[in-house]
Amino acid sequence: MAPIVQTKFELLLQKKLKYTSANLGFNMLISKLQRKVASDPGCMAACIQEVDDFAAKFPAVVNADFAKIAAL
């Protein structure tokens, strides 16, 4: 994940940015990770790793989303 995408994604998980993907699975992952970060802010690195793992499994799904998140 590019550094700008990671920075924006951290803000997204902290609910400081709002983004909705066209992909239901990615939206569900984002929601799950937002709840996880809200309950334990120290788990941000693990959450970012989970997004990286998802991106590795489904690159076609997240490539467009990562570009849109970087543009936020």
Side-chain angles (χ1 to χ4, degrees), residues 6-67:
Q6 181 172 339
T7 301
K8 298 279 180 112
F9 216 96
E10 288 174 2
L11 293 172
L12 178 65
L13 293 182
Q14 294 168 352
K15 296 186 178 180
K16 294 180 180 177
L17 287 178
K18 188 171 182 175
Y19 176 75
T20 303
S21 173
N23 182 277
L24 177 63
F26 196 49
N27 282 334
M28 290 174 63
L29 177 64
I30 291 169
S31 295
K32 178 184 105 172
L33 296 177
Q34 284 175 330
R35 288 190 304 274
K36 197 172 183 180
V37 167
S39 68
D40 179 16
C43 72
M44 183 63 75
C47 291
I48 294 297
Q49 182 59 48
E50 196 167 337
V51 172
D52 279 337
D53 293 344
F54 184 86
K57 289 180 186 174
F58 307 105
V61 171
V62 297
N63 285 340
D65 286 315
F66 279 2

